[in-house]
Structure formats: structure tokens, C-alpha cells
């Protein structure tokens, strides 16, 4: 398969396995990725909620930002954190060893360039390093931004030589701990570097994109296929494609960059104000601080909300949102049918004053108004291990 312009699609280390398993493949962020397997999206979604799903997320952008000397304890961590804090509004310097922080890269107007995970290593001799994961579709831009911020102070090492596997669902803890003892001791948003005789050196993070408990495992490319096959040899685990990944994350009220987040949207508008740490608000030293702090104080002109169509038909991205009186107040950015919810669901942006759960709205689907109401997020409660 090729992208537009006849550029060949990139392949993850698990590409041959996906084809062997009968996956329907398709383009995503320049990669040939599994959309679904023979059992279909509904079965894959439900299996992840009930047992354990294996996702190939090797198309993402894991990397390591490191000082020339990565040891040095808290002083080294403070130095490498200052680099990334010039781009994000979160308190990275305040991260405890082994902890992860979701954050956002910001432009000068406070708009979101990407969402990303930033992780402080647990090992004392690696405190001058951060493990960072950015999104697939924006990783070249993101890497360039980080390298520019780090120029002369630190280096960015891309982990293109790795595979990244997500293991999600209520049985994920037992599955992963059997292969990597100690994984069960991790709490949500915590990670550890583990050396395995069978799979080499891996980074195991307790996090994910489904709302379920689970892990993401960074593994060297030469061990990725063997690790995936070992996981799939467990009767509790099945492969899951991008179709179910999208329905799972939408039920969990999680954003997809390029749809629910973009360069014109601030964290406040995206209902992600919690990413703007109190210490950073006090210092006002992040990109777009004036606009973001003004919205925190006075309110944003629009906010990301959940939307529940009252019928059975879903409202997808681009659908106009109106009041009962016919006033346009926003647009849907993600939508579909929620198998766990057993109902359609959407997320979108509506004007301030229309964001309260239960507020009636109309969704204009194919020119016809459809009854709906603003809903609280997430649609399906998270089950993270705190």
C-alpha cells in the first residue's frame, strides 16, 4: 500500500503478524496498520472490556531526551525538565522517579500542537533523562520542536528501533506480570525499566488509551514479534485493531489529536485544564500563558463536552450542533456507537453557556435535526489502578 504521492506506507515490527492473523489493514499516520481482525470491531471492543486486548502502537513516537551526563540525581532531572517545560504547561520537574505525566505541546498562542506522555526514569543513574511518547501523525514536528528546545543542552534519541505494545483490559495485570514480574506493583501512570531474559530490556508503563487498566511495553524491534506471540499464546489475550481502539477511547472520553485537539484549541477549551500545573500557572512561563491563564480566570469561549444522541443513530465528526431554537453553537469532533454503552456517543465543542450535562441540543445529520443532550465524560467509567 502507498500514501498519496506513491510514498510506501511504513510498517511496524508486527506487520507480518497482523497479516498472518488475517487483519484488514489500512493507512493510519503513514503506516499500514490493522483496522480489525476477522472477529470484527464489536467483538474486539467487548473482549478488551471483559478480558485483555493486545494493540500494536509501534507507530507512535517514543524517544529519550537526555543530558550529556544522565546521572546526577535531582539536579540532572531539574535540568532536563527545564527543557521540556519550555514547551508544555505541566510540572515535569516535580515528577517523582518512575512517574508519568500526560501533557500537551503548546504554540505561542496556547494552542495544542500535540498531546504526549512524559516519564521520569526510576533509576538513580538515569535522572538526566526523560522517556517521552508523542503521537504518530505529529511526531516529526514534535521531535523537531524538542530538538530545537534542547539544542546545546541535551540530545533527543528516537526509539525507532523499538516496538510499542499496549496490553489493555481487566486481566492485563495478571497477563503482563506473568512475563515481567513486578509489573503488578506499578500504579496508574508509573513505569519501570525491566530486563527480561526472553525479551531483553523493556520499559513497562501502567497506562493506556481505553479507560481500562493496562500497560504499554517498549521493546527492542528484534524481540517485538516474539513478545506479541507470547502474549497471544495466553487464552486471555486477543489482538485488537484501530477500529476498536477508537470506540474504546471514545467511550473513555479520551481525545484523538487532529480531531478533538488541534493547534487552535487551548487546554482550557479542551477540558484539560488539569494539565496546567499550579506551579506553572504561578510562574506563567509556558507558551501561550497569557491566553490560557485568562481562560482559566474568566472562562473559555467554548468547551469540549460529551454528547448523547437520544436515538440510535450516531453523529460523527463534522456534524453541526444547534440549540432547540436553531442557533449553531458548536461541532462534533468524534462520534460513533459505544458497544459498552449500547448507545451512540459523540464528543465536540459547544459555546460557553451550553456545556451543562442534560442541556438539550440538536445534531444536524444529513440536513435533519436529531435530538441529543450534553453528557458528562467519560461515557464509561475508567478502571485505572490508582
Amino acid at each position: 500500500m502507498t500514501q498519496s504521492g506513491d510514498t510506501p506506507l511504513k510498517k511496524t515490527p508486527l506487520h507480518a503478524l497482523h497479516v498472518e492473523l488475517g487483519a484488514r489493514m489500512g493507512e493510519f499516520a503513514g503506516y499500514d496498520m490493522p483496522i480489525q481482525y476477522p472477529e470484527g470491531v464489536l467483538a474486539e471492543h467487548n473482549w478488551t472490556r471483559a478480558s485483555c486486548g493486545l494493540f500494536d502502537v509501534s507507530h507512535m513516537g517514543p524517544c529519550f531526551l537526555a543530558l550529556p551526563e544522565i546521572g546526577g540525581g535531582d539536579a540532572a532531572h531539574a535540568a532536563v525538565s527545564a527543557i521540556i517545560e519550555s514547551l508544555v504547561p505541566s510540572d515535569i520537574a516535580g515528577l517523582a522517579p518512575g512517574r508519568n505525566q500526560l501533557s500537551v505541546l503548546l504554540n505561542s498562542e496556547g494552542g495544542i500542537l500535540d498531546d504526549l506522555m512524559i516519564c521520569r526514569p526510576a533509576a538513580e543513574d538515569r535522572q538526566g533523562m526523560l522517556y517521552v511518547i508523542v503521537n504518530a501523525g505529529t511526531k516529526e514536528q514534535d521531535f523537531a520542536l524538542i530538538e530545537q528546545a534542547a539544542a546545546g543542552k541535551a540530545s533527543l534519541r528516537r526509539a525507532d528501533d523499538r516496538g510499542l505494545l499496549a496490553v489493555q483490559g481487566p486481566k492485563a495485570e495478571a497477563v503482563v506480570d506473568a512475563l515481567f514480574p513486578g509489573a503488578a506493583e506499578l500504579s496508574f501512570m508509573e513505569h519501570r525499566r525491566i530486563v527480561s531474559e526472553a525479551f531483553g530490556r523493556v520499559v513497562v508503563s501502567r497506562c493506556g488509551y481505553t479507560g481500562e487498566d493496562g500497560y504499554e511495553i517498549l521493546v527492542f524491534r528484534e524481540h517485538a514479534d516474539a513478545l506479541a506471540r507470547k502474549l497471544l499464546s495466553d487464552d486471555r489475550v486477543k489482538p485488537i485493531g484501530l477500529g476498536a481502539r477508537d470506540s474504546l477511547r471514545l467511550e473513555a472520553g479520551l481525545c484523538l489529536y487532529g480531531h478533538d485537539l488541534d493547534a487552535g484549541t487551548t487546554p482550557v477549551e479542551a477540558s484539560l485544564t488539569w494539565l496546567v500545573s499550579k506551579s506553572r500557572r504561578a510562574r506563567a512561563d509556558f507558551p501561550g500563558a497569557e491566553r490560557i491563564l485568562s481562560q482559566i480566570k474568566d472562562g473559555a469561549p467554548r468547551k469540549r463536552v460529551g454528547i448523547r444522541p437520544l436515538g440510535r443513530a450516531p453523529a460523527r465528526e463534522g456534524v453541526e450542533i444547534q440549540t432547540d431554537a436553531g442557533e449553531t453553537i458548536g461541532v462534533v469532533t468524534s462520534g460513533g456507537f459505544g458497544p459498552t454503552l449500547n448507545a451512540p456517543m459523540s464528543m465536540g465543542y459547544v459555546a460557553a453557556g451550553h456545556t451543562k450535562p442534560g442541556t438539550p441540543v440538536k445534531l444536524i445529520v444529513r440536513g435533519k435535526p436529531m435530538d441529543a443532550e450534553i453528557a458528562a465524560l467519560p461515557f464509561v467509567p475508567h478502571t485505572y489502578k490508582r
Side-chain angles (χ1 to χ4, degrees):
M1 296 183 67
T2 61
Q3 306 178 59
S4 57
D6 296 326
T7 303
L9 292 177
K10 300 174 187 175
K11 297 179 180 179
T12 75
L14 302 184
H15 186 273
L17 177 59
H18 300 314
V19 174
E20 179 185 321
L21 294 173
R24 178 164 67 83
M25 307 295 288
E27 187 276 336
F28 183 81
Y31 285 79
D32 194 22
M33 295 294 292
I35 307 303
Q36 66 179 67
Y37 296 88
E39 288 190 359
V41 172
L42 178 62
E44 293 172 28
H45 179 112
N46 290 335
W47 184 266
T48 303
R49 290 273 187 247
S51 188
C52 183
L54 173 64
F55 302 75
D56 181 7
V57 291
S58 305
H59 60 307
M60 301 286 283
C63 65
F64 296 92
L65 179 65
L67 302 176
E69 299 292 335
I70 63 173
D74 288 344
H77 173 66
V80 75
S81 296
I83 296 168
I84 204 77
E85 282 188 354
S86 70
L87 304 172
V88 306
S90 305
D91 179 14
I92 307 305
L95 273 180
R99 298 299 302 178
N100 305 352
Q101 173 67 55
L102 180 67
S103 194
V104 284
L105 291 171
L106 298 173
N107 61 27
S108 60
E109 298 301 314
I112 298 172
L113 297 172
D114 194 16
D115 56 321
L116 73 167
M117 192 75 76
I118 304 168
C119 314
R120 178 181 181 178
E124 189 173 339
D125 63 351
R126 300 174 73 82
Q127 292 308 298
M129 173 183 286
L130 294 171
Y131 169 40
V132 179
I133 308 98
V134 302
N135 276 309
T138 55
K139 63 183 175 182
E140 299 303 330
Q141 159 206 278
D142 296 351
F143 289 155
L145 279 173
I146 297 170
E147 285 182 323
Q148 183 179 19
K153 294 174 283 188
S155 60
L156 180 77
R157 179 163 57 84
R158 296 171 59 143
D160 294 334
D161 57 344
R162 317 285 179 104
L164 189 61
L165 283 61
V167 187
Q168 301 280 291
K171 299 181 182 179
E173 178 181 87
V175 168
V176 174
D177 195 65
L179 297 181
F180 303 106
E185 300 169 8
L186 298 176
S187 61
F188 180 59
M189 297 295 275
E190 188 176 14
H191 76 283
R192 288 293 182 273
R193 188 167 171 256
I194 298 174
V195 178
S196 160
E197 185 175 338
F199 307 110
R201 189 174 70 247
V202 301
V203 179
V204 179
S205 298
R206 195 159 198 160
C207 60
Y209 194 52
T210 62
E212 295 291 335
D213 184 25
Y215 301 83
E216 291 184 356
I217 305 168
L218 185 71
V219 58
F220 281 101
R221 175 177 287 268
E222 61 265 30
H223 297 297
D225 183 83
L227 175 55
R229 290 178 188 275
K230 182 64 174 177
L231 287 163
L232 291 171
S233 71
D234 190 315
D235 290 341
R236 295 169 291 189
V237 184
K238 289 185 178 181
I240 312 297
L242 291 181
R245 181 171 166 85
D246 193 56
S247 58
L248 288 159
R249 71 92 190 170
L250 184 51
E251 285 188 339
L254 303 175
C255 297
L256 178 61
Y257 192 82
H259 300 262
D260 311 296
L261 304 174
D262 59 34
T265 301
T266 70
V268 184
E269 292 169 334
S271 298
L272 296 173
T273 305
W274 59 274
L275 297 180
V276 187
S277 303
K278 289 183 179 179
S279 62
R280 304 300 305 282
R281 298 181 198 185
R283 299 201 304 267
D285 61 349
F286 52 88
E290 182 177 359
R291 180 185 178 196
I292 290 172
L293 294 175
S294 174
Q295 290 185 351
I296 291 174
K297 179 183 177 183
D298 301 323
R302 60 182 187 135
K303 293 292 287 289
R304 178 175 64 94
V305 296
I307 305 152
R308 285 287 303 269
L310 299 183
R312 298 293 287 178
R316 304 188 186 277
E317 182 177 3
V319 165
E320 189 177 315
I321 306 169
Q322 295 184 355
T323 65
D324 284 341
E327 176 192 359
T328 297
I329 55 170
V331 65
V332 170
T333 53
S334 286
F337 189 83
T340 310
L341 197 63
N342 191 29
M345 57 186 174
S346 299
M347 287 196 301
Y349 286 81
V350 297
H354 302 275
T355 62
K356 185 178 179 181
T359 300
V361 294
K362 299 288 187 183
L363 302 174
I364 311 304
V365 179
R366 292 184 290 276
K368 297 181 179 180
M370 185 169 71
D371 290 334
E373 64 181 23
I374 303 301
L377 293 172
F379 297 106
V380 174
H382 300 161
T383 58
Y384 304 135
K385 182 177 178 179
R386 301 288 182 179

